[in-house]
Amino acid sequence: MKKIFKFILNTIPRPILIRLSIVVRPILAFILKGNRFTDPIDGKSFSMFLPYGYGNQRNNVLSPSTLSLERHRLLWLYLQNETDFFTATLKKKVLHFAPEQEFYKRFKKQTNIEYTTTDLLSPLADVKADICDLPFEDNSYDVIFCNHVLEHIPDDTKAMQELYRVLKPGGMGVFQIPQELSRATTFSDDTIVDQKERAKIFGQYDHVRVYGRDYFDKLRSIGFQVVEEDYTAKLSTELVEKYCLAKGEIIPVCFK
């Protein structure tokens, strides 16, 4: 199964994968019903989660029902337990880059947010836009989600500046990235052009860097106040295992 999933991820373009997953998801959820692992996003439980990874495949990480990964489930729990994102009575303007399927329909149904999605390629995007040259006015959004996007952007400094520009004063942004906390400084090398080599070094063929611990300070240099939220440390070991989370993963919660 791991070889099949790896082949699919590395050969089928992401927009097509998104469309195909809509058909396959309910079939997988039915086949893998059980009580070993639970997806906190929809509350459904399974005998196993699916493997995932463009390079090295990780076991029990992809939820059969929502197709969420560790980072999605962790963010959902954080938003649910530590913020008023789902409960605020005052309507918030939310901008979501490259909207994840597991969040898209749920956020779209929320009556307490005004929800806008944006991306260059995603079929789920309301506004097709370049993150380095956004068509939105200054100080427009109360909440911005930009998760696992910046590692694809050659000029991530410009992208961060644009995120800061369109976020309202007092607003919150969550900018998750694949990160090696054992690495002090971010690594990039434009001379590596072979896709297999890029996947080996950067973790995915279309990534342009590997972020280190200096990622948080780079966000601070743009102007953000950054909370390095180690949310799994606030959860019991049993819940971390039950929800198939990556222990020690940091959520970069940014404020303006």
Side-chain angles (χ1 to χ4, degrees):
M1 183 181 289
K2 292 173 75 172
K3 289 183 178 180
I4 294 173
F5 272 80
K6 184 175 181 179
F7 175 79
I8 291 172
L9 287 172
N10 283 284
T11 55
I12 300 178
R14 195 183 304 268
I16 297 175
L17 274 177
I18 292 173
R19 292 187 173 92
L20 288 176
S21 65
I22 295 172
V23 178
V24 175
R25 186 170 52 192
I27 299 171
L28 291 173
F30 178 78
I31 293 173
L32 297 175
K33 277 185 179 180
N35 55 18
R36 184 181 177 192
F37 301 117
T38 299
D39 186 336
I41 297 175
D42 64 3
K44 294 181 179 178
S45 297
F46 304 94
S47 59
M48 63 177 285
F49 278 7
L50 298 164
Y52 188 86
Y54 283 79
N56 294 325
Q57 293 265 301
R58 310 187 303 280
N59 289 320
N60 289 314
V61 293
L62 184 69
S63 166
S65 56
T66 68
L67 299 183
S68 65
L69 293 168
E70 308 101 315
R71 65 180 185 266
H72 305 124
R73 296 187 290 274
L74 184 65
L75 177 56
W76 181 274
L77 290 166
Y78 174 79
L79 293 173
Q80 186 178 64
N81 299 333
E82 305 295 328
T83 76
D84 65 350
F85 181 76
F86 296 112
T87 59
T89 54
L90 186 63
K91 184 170 284 193
K92 297 182 179 183
K93 290 188 67 177
V94 176
L95 181 63
H96 194 170
F97 287 83
E100 301 95 335
Q101 285 189 72
E102 48 273 30
F103 297 145
Y104 177 75
K105 287 186 177 180
R106 291 168 176 83
F107 290 175
K108 203 81 171 174
K109 291 178 181 178
Q110 280 185 233
T111 57
N112 68 332
I113 66 174
E114 182 182 327
Y115 183 57
T116 301
T117 59
T118 184
D119 192 64
L120 274 177
L121 300 174
S122 173
L124 302 181
D126 298 318
V127 179
K128 294 292 192 291
D130 180 352
I131 192 172
C132 293
D133 186 20
L134 294 173
F136 310 115
E137 295 183 0
D138 295 358
N139 308 315
S140 295
Y141 291 94
D142 299 286
V143 179
I144 298 178
F145 296 116
C146 182
N147 297 321
H148 282 240
V149 172
L150 292 172
E151 69 274 13
H152 298 268
I153 309 301
D155 190 353
D156 64 340
T157 299
K158 179 59 177 173
M160 291 177 185
Q161 290 170 340
E162 281 291 88
L163 293 172
Y164 186 82
R165 180 181 67 79
V166 302
L167 184 66
K168 287 182 180 180
M172 180 187 77
V174 179
F175 311 140
Q176 290 174 301
I177 39 86
Q179 184 177 30
E180 292 184 8
L181 291 172
S182 60
R183 183 188 293 272
T185 57
T186 296
F187 171 75
S188 62
D189 186 344
D190 295 339
T191 66
I192 303 171
V193 294
D194 180 74
Q195 286 196 353
K196 289 184 179 180
E197 190 68 10
R198 295 187 69 81
K200 180 181 177 181
I201 294 173
F202 298 118
Q204 197 166 304
Y205 67 91
D206 54 353
H207 288 185
V208 298
R209 68 182 60 83
V210 180
Y211 282 107
R213 296 191 305 275
D214 59 342
Y215 172 67
F216 308 114
D217 286 334
K218 181 162 187 176
L219 289 168
R220 292 184 179 104
S221 74
I222 301 299
F224 291 107
Q225 298 176 42
V226 182
V227 176
E228 301 173 30
E229 182 65 61
D230 182 3
Y231 196 58
T232 60
K234 298 181 180 179
L235 302 172
S236 67
T237 300
E238 290 76 19
L239 285 180
V240 171
E241 293 177 355
K242 178 182 180 181
Y243 296 143
C244 293
L245 305 176
K247 190 166 181 61
E249 180 176 354
I250 307 298
I251 305 174
V253 186
C254 303
F255 299 93
K256 181 175 178 179

